[in-house]
Amino acid sequence: MPSPQSQQPCEVEVTFTVNGAPRSLRLDTRTTLLDALREHLHLTGSKKGCDHGQCGACTVIVAGRRINSCLTLAVMHDGDAITTIEGLGTPEKLHPLQAAFVRHDGFQCGYCTPGQICSAKAMLDEIAAGIPSHVTTDLSGPLWPSAAELRERMSGNICRCAAYPNIIAAIAEVAADDAAQAA
Amino acid sequence: MKPFTFERAATPEQAVVALARTPGARLIAGGTNLLDLMKLEITAPTHLIDVNHIGLDRIEDTGEGGLRIGALVRNTDCAAHPRVRRDYPVLCRAILAGASGQLRNKATTGGNLLQRTRCPYFYDGNLPCNKRDPGSGCSAREGYSRNHAVVGVSDSCICAFPSDMSVALRLLDAEVEVMRPDTSLRRIAISEFHLAPGESLPIREFALEPGELITAVILPPPPAGRQFYRKVRNRASYAFALVSVAAVVEEDGSGRIALGGIGTIPWRSDAGDAALPRGAAAVAEALFANAAPTEQNRYKLKLAERTIAAVLAAANSG
């Protein structure tokens, strides 16, 4: 067991860019990126589900990559560019994934939805970048967003309402639109 | 979480110097395992040294035809690297079979090697666990042990080692390069890196000495034969292995085989390799010669044999 500690809380300055805007905070070193976003910057779109990296509700995009914001310290992201659900779309101008989730009923309670959508956005970028997955048959062949690929790649986002079929339908529609535009 | 001070190291040398200088310090890279343990106060460092900005994030060809994977290479990037996909598909497949996309984006090569067990008693501070609290006992022996190890166990601990990546590295005869506190480098064979629990306490899990930093994993040239990684788990994705099989099989049926999910360390033996041409039952018999299952995890012996059979069937299917 760790020895008893008398160490005092330690605060540090952290500066990063959130949804395009530079933000500076003075934070206890123990503050996770998720708590910095929610409790300090009041960007409450990112959700705290399990707080242990198991549910994906806290998923945000850092330097283009989706990560669990509950499993990383804010102080480790000094200088980084962070995108949350608030940076993807607005009620007036929904991101295509947001609009597709509405169209396909990709949620019931909605708690996991911001994480699902941030995850899906970065996940489609991962496919576009040629990053393989567990269900990719040919590791050297081209990739496309089949339903099997989408399901496997979204397994880090849990939906307790089990809206999975509609979530996959929403993401598949956006992926198909992206493919059509690229063609 | 207990309070801690924090610093960001700029070079590997700076990191080991800081580690040696600061009692109670720990290195943090991806943090996906360490932060979880800190939240539960199973681990309580008083100082964190962030090694995410010290370089070591490249994959390079070695002069011998192998690969040098920097310790800070993210699991996603390792699995996606063209040479890993082409020459070491067992490593690519093992990484992709583990965790989630979000976690693989953060988790590093060095950190994955150092994963702590997912034994529920290790995570529950109210119950005995020799790994967390040396001398308190092992709750899993008489408790819930369905996911636990059947080989490499001792009276003090039966927890399974969780890393998929390390099973592939064990198969590939990788070496782990580490920097000592005096900034000199040494290499540890992967077969020596993970330590099975003996009867002595505290339980030592890794061959790292205090103050050492993993700098790279070095792969020898790719082995001849076809490579496989097959993982069996409680759900189709995002779960730890009940059993996993990493194998490389040559035309004549010879090769190598390593198992995950069933051992306290990645499990491979000369006898297991030698038994490959004789089929799954012979391999299982060789690898499980000293198995000590509980009533709850005895099923893993048969499950492993069947998973080996499935891999050999795939190898023979041309």
Side-chain angles (χ1 to χ4, degrees):
Chain A
M1 290 295 279
S3 57
Q5 293 173 33
S6 55
Q7 188 153 330
Q8 294 302 305
C10 170
E11 289 196 346
V12 288
E13 298 283 343
V14 183
T15 300
F16 39 50
T17 305
V18 182
N19 300 328
R23 309 298 295 257
S24 287
L25 294 168
R26 187 164 180 83
L27 297 172
D28 187 308
T29 51
R30 292 171 290 181
T31 312
T32 62
L33 178 59
L34 176 62
D35 284 342
L37 294 169
R38 285 182 55 84
E39 309 297 332
H40 296 265
L41 296 177
H42 308 295
L43 293 166
T44 53
S46 307
K47 296 294 188 278
K48 185 180 283 192
C50 68
D51 210 25
H52 288 283
Q54 297 173 5
C55 76
C58 68
T59 303
V60 301
I61 302 168
V62 176
R65 289 272 177 102
R66 55 180 171 157
I67 64 166
N68 301 111
S69 62
C70 77
L71 268 193
T72 192
L73 296 169
V75 64
M76 292 164 70
H77 292 284
D78 193 65
D80 279 350
I82 297 150
T83 303
T84 68
I85 189 70
E86 291 90 344
L88 283 186
T90 62
E92 295 72 36
K93 192 173 187 302
L94 295 178
H95 184 274
L97 278 162
Q98 290 173 311
F101 268 64
V102 172
R103 234 175 359 257
H104 289 271
D105 234 354
F107 49 84
Q108 285 185 45
C109 81
Y111 196 80
C112 72
T113 312
Q116 298 275 5
I117 290 174
C118 284
S119 185
K121 161 77 174 76
M123 179 275 294
L124 292 176
D125 293 343
E126 287 167 11
I127 294 179
I131 293 169
S133 88
H134 174 62
V135 299
T136 305
T137 314
D138 179 2
L139 290 179
S140 57
L143 285 173
W144 61 84
S146 66
E149 285 280 2
L150 298 183
R151 278 197 296 271
E152 161 61 24
R153 291 168 186 269
M154 292 299 292
S155 70
N157 291 84
I158 310 296
C159 172
R160 285 291 76 152
C161 306
Y164 298 112
N166 298 357
I167 291 170
I168 295 301
I171 299 171
E173 183 183 272
V174 173
D177 287 350
D178 288 353
Q181 279 178 18
Chain B
M1 222 184 305
K2 300 284 191 193
F4 54 85
T5 49
F6 179 91
E7 74 181 289
R8 183 184 274 195
T11 63
E13 291 78 8
Q14 232 182 56
V16 293
V17 168
L19 190 59
R21 186 181 55 210
T22 326
R26 288 285 302 269
L27 305 172
I28 188 163
T32 55
N33 197 183
L34 181 59
L35 276 172
D36 210 15
L37 295 168
M38 287 171 62
K39 286 182 181 185
L40 296 165
E41 299 187 358
I42 293 162
T43 302
T46 50
H47 183 70
L48 282 186
I49 302 159
D50 181 353
V51 293
N52 284 292
H53 302 270
I54 64 171
L56 308 179
D57 55 355
R58 296 239 165 80
I59 299 182
E60 297 158 327
D61 294 342
T62 64
E64 296 81 45
L67 221 48
R68 178 191 170 84
I69 305 166
L72 271 300
V73 171
R74 308 289 152 175
N75 284 176
T76 297
D77 297 315
C78 186
H81 191 271
R83 270 211 68 198
V84 174
R85 289 154 77 159
R86 189 189 72 199
D87 295 336
Y88 305 96
V90 65
L91 176 58
C92 175
R93 294 285 183 195
I95 291 172
L96 294 176
S100 66
Q102 289 96 317
L103 290 169
R104 291 192 297 272
N105 280 342
K106 263 263 158 219
T108 62
T109 306
N112 197 327
L113 279 171
L114 298 174
Q115 277 196 74
R116 308 299 302 280
T117 181
R118 264 62 181 188
C119 173
Y121 301 108
F122 179 67
Y123 282 79
D124 186 343
N126 298 308
L127 290 169
C129 168
N130 281 322
K131 191 160 268 189
R132 174 171 37 77
D133 184 11
S136 62
C138 172
S139 300
R141 286 204 143 274
E142 303 297 325
Y144 172 80
S145 60
R146 183 177 177 273
N147 295 340
H148 287 67
V150 297
V151 284
V153 300
S154 75
D155 285 340
S156 58
C157 183
I158 63 167
C159 73
F161 181 63
S163 161
D164 290 292
M165 182 196 82
S166 299
V167 179
L169 294 181
R170 181 74 180 83
L171 184 84
L172 293 167
D173 288 328
E175 288 183 297
V176 183
E177 183 190 81
V178 304
M179 182 176 283
R180 298 191 186 94
D182 67 2
T183 73
S184 64
L185 299 175
R186 71 174 180 121
R187 286 189 185 188
I188 306 169
I190 189 76
S191 57
E192 311 287 323
F193 187 83
H194 295 103
L195 306 178
E199 300 310 328
S200 65
L201 299 171
I203 294 167
R204 196 170 168 217
E205 295 167 62
F206 309 105
L208 283 181
E209 298 293 339
E212 286 185 328
L213 162 77
I214 298 175
T215 48
V217 165
I218 293 146
L219 300 180
R226 291 171 65 200
Q227 300 175 24
F228 300 89
Y229 192 79
R230 191 171 177 119
K231 178 173 176 177
V232 182
R233 43 188 164 175
N234 283 332
R235 52 188 188 213
S237 183
Y238 195 20
F240 290 101
L242 299 172
V243 167
S244 71
V245 174
V248 52
V249 185
E250 295 192 57
E251 287 280 332
D252 63 1
S254 67
R256 313 173 190 173
I257 186 161
L259 267 53
I262 50 83
T264 53
I265 54 174
W267 201 250
R268 183 179 164 204
S269 72
D270 290 342
D273 287 0
L276 259 186
R278 302 201 304 279
V283 174
E285 192 182 331
L287 286 173
F288 293 137
N290 296 309
T294 65
E295 282 311 307
Q296 287 185 21
N297 68 19
R298 187 176 300 278
Y299 75 95
K300 286 192 175 186
L301 300 175
K302 200 66 189 173
L303 183 59
E305 184 184 325
R306 288 175 177 159
T307 311
I308 296 165
V311 166
L312 294 182
N316 292 330
S317 71

